Amino acid sequence: MTRGNVSLTAFLWSVIAFLVIYPLSVLVIESFKIAGSTGWGLANYLGFFKDTYYLKTFWNTLVLSTLVLLTTTLFGVPLAYILARYRHRGKTVFTALILLPIVLPAFAGVFAFIIFFGKFGTLNLILMESGLIKAPINFIYGTHGLVFIQSLHLLPFIVLSLSAGFTNIDPAFEEAAEVEGASGFWRFITVTLPLCTPSYLAGAVIVFLWPFTDWLTPLILGKVDFLPSVAYINIAYHFTDMHRKYMGIVAVVVSSVVCIVLFVLARRWVERKKYTGLSKGTTSEGRVIEPGPVIKYGSYLYMLAISFVVLLIPIVLGLSAFSRRWVFEPFPTYWTLDNFRAIFFESPLLIKNSFLFSGIALVFGVVFGLMAAYVIVRTRIWGTNALDFVITLMLAFPGMAVGVSYMLAFWKDIPLATHWIIMPLALFARRLPYFLRMAHSSYLQLDISLEEASEVSGVGKFKTFFYISLPLLIKGVLVGVVMFFIMAFQEISTAIFLYRGGWETLPIGIYLNWHRGMEFGIAAAMAFLMIVITFILLLIISRIGGGIMKAAWGPGPGGKR
């Protein structure tokens, strides 16, 4: 334990205390203020839990979380198995397509599916024009549509986690089961799947918590009776009704507490469930199975079906982006570039702000994340496990809670919220775990003896990092850079509470165009532009990521390994 490492750890803790712990503490304290008075107490919470409407929203959110988890599990388990175990052509493209929803704004998918599956959308119009139906079918509006959209958005979490689990299983376990007569589906159920339980839970907890954080998707579909949607409406639209404002703040705190408790319980359960075998181990690719013709082509069809649903988002938004009118007709008939002209020439600030804020946040994230990964993996200083846990916890923390807490904490006493720097700072705090997980897993794969040999030769830690560690970490660092930038680029839940005139980003521009009832073509063009940028970056991740992403999203995120 060197003095430099202690100082570095203290610096990292001071940053996290200022940008995470302090504002969230202000949010909790604010929730105890009694509306219309200067007093404090539990009145807000008592009123919240006595109000049948708020209890209903809580129950609705819990049911939605369960349905989304069941749906993603049902479709994600076979998909992860196919990607992890079978060799097939186009694996990189399929992986990029299947992972695309995780890095796209969920509301972009909502807009696309409303156009395609809406009551007078493309699918219904085609069915009615062909005479198959007489009245439109409600494909999308309602709980079923909400489950479908959120499940598609969260499917990559299950796929990534289970792919890591399937790859890391020692082939000897499954081979032993097959020798004993357990093959095929029975071997998968009794051996393979139980061994992947910790990996599955690592992704499942994030999937389950998402409905407690997503306020915009239900709002667009007209389903507002969910906890995050009610919280947003109460905070954003009730400036004079202070009681409803504080009910909104309480709803944010309740959602955050649910997320924290479930995240902690899941993490502890995963850490207790460790499967270790004394055998020959596995390769980085894991066990590879050569399927028969039926399973092989069936797997292709399954991946193509999911890829088609995913591709509907950019296709539909692309058609909308290049059309001026698309109303009551299956496909647009009038094409134009006016929507893109409006973005590039009338509101280029949206693009500039998106790149500027995300870029600055990325610089903060890379510098901080590399230092944090170093002290967490390479040192045994007291508090590093807690530091890792607090940072990783932001994965499960509602973006709305971060936005509201920054609005409360950095407005008066510390007036950062009056300056544009609050935007990249909020993005940095919100998306830091995405870089840290990649850097953390890269450090774990780097043999410490290489760094020790350099230091024994008289090279200082600083030069050792730049000449030895960084070149060997570069693959994971690049994946983390791209992942962090993508997630910061599409962030809206936090930014919507902090932006001021002139600070708008592309996601905020999309939301404002929809919210104000302006022409959807411009919003579609913004979303399509984001998709193109994101997909290019995602292809880079799929090409260079390899085992880095699987290791980062495997079981037990945040723990010292």
Side-chain angles (χ1 to χ4, degrees), residues 259-261 263-264 388-398 433:
C259 293
I260 292 172
V261 170
F263 186 84
V264 171
D388 190 13
F389 172 73
V390 171
I391 296 173
T392 305
L393 192 62
M394 296 300 287
L395 283 171
F397 221 82

Side-chain angles (χ1 to χ4, degrees), residues 20-346:
V20 176
I21 299 174
Y22 166 67
L24 294 177
S25 300
V26 172
L27 174 68
V28 174
I29 293 171
E30 186 74 14
S31 69
F32 288 100
K33 289 185 179 180
I34 300 175
S37 70
T38 57
W40 303 69
L42 297 173
N44 295 330
Y45 286 92
L46 293 175
F48 180 89
F49 287 105
K50 287 181 180 179
D51 194 315
T52 56
Y53 175 71
Y54 290 114
L55 291 178
K56 174 187 173 183
T57 62
F58 183 86
W59 173 252
N60 289 347
T61 310
L62 193 62
V63 171
L64 178 62
S65 294
T66 304
L67 293 175
V68 170
L69 179 58
L70 290 175
T71 305
T72 53
T73 302
L74 180 64
F75 288 94
V77 170
L79 186 58
Y81 192 83
I82 291 170
L83 292 174
R85 290 297 173 85
Y86 299 158
R87 282 201 182 104
H88 45 77
R89 293 181 179 179
K91 184 174 181 178
T92 299
V93 176
F94 278 125
T95 303
L97 286 174
I98 291 165
L99 295 182
L100 185 60
I102 198 177
V103 292
L104 287 182
F107 56 85
V110 181
F111 293 141
F113 289 132
I114 286 175
I115 294 174
F116 190 84
F117 292 112
K119 290 187 177 180
F120 289 96
T122 299
L123 183 57
N124 269 315
L125 289 175
I126 291 175
L127 293 175
M128 286 190 289
E129 289 180 2
S130 62
L132 295 176
I133 60 174
K134 294 183 179 180
I137 299 173
N138 181 13
F139 288 111
I140 201 71
Y141 290 102
T143 302
H144 62 289
L146 192 54
V147 171
F148 164 67
I149 291 171
Q150 291 193 342
S151 298
L152 183 65
H153 180 67
L154 296 166
L155 183 64
F157 281 108
I158 296 294
V159 174
L160 277 174
S161 299
L162 280 175
S163 294
F166 291 139
T167 301
N168 292 332
I169 291 177
D170 192 321
F173 292 120
E174 295 178 327
E175 291 167 358
E178 290 168 356
V179 169
E180 296 295 325
S183 60
F185 183 74
W186 183 246
R187 183 258 303 157
F188 176 78
I189 292 295
T190 57
V191 177
T192 307
L193 206 55
L195 290 174
C196 287
T197 303
S199 297
Y200 166 75
L201 195 59
V205 65
I206 297 177
V207 172
F208 187 84
L209 295 179
W210 176 259
F212 282 91
T213 69
D214 182 17
W215 56 271
L216 186 52
T217 305
L219 209 61
I220 295 174
L221 293 177
K223 299 285 291 183
V224 299
D225 293 339
F226 294 94
L227 203 57
S229 300
V230 169
Y232 172 77
I233 292 173
N234 282 4
I235 294 172
Y237 294 103
H238 294 282
F239 301 105
T240 56
D241 190 341
M242 297 303 293
H243 175 72
R244 292 195 64 173
K245 174 189 172 183
Y246 279 103
M247 286 296 99
I249 293 175
V250 169
V252 171
V253 174
V254 170
S255 296
S256 302
V257 169
V258 170
C259 293
I260 292 172
V261 170
L262 291 179
F263 186 84
V264 171
L265 291 176
R267 184 172 180 265
R268 288 185 176 178
W269 190 90
V270 167
E271 289 175 347
R272 291 207 315 265
K273 286 284 184 178
K274 292 183 179 179
Y275 300 94
T276 304
L278 299 176
S279 56
K280 63 185 179 182
T282 182
T283 64
S284 61
E285 191 180 12
R287 188 186 189 193
V288 177
I289 298 175
E290 295 294 339
V294 175
I295 296 178
K296 180 179 180 180
Y297 291 110
S299 299
Y300 269 113
L301 288 175
Y302 187 71
M303 289 190 297
L304 284 171
I306 294 180
S307 299
F308 171 75
V309 176
V310 173
L311 280 173
L312 277 178
I313 299 174
I315 290 173
V316 171
L317 290 176
L319 292 174
S320 301
F322 289 98
S323 65
R324 192 65 176 176
R325 297 185 301 270
W326 190 357
V327 182
F328 297 112
E329 52 185 0
F331 301 100
T333 55
Y334 180 80
W335 305 99
T336 182
L337 293 174
D338 288 346
N339 298 322
F340 288 97
R341 289 194 187 99
I343 297 174
F344 288 109
F345 296 105
E346 296 179 19

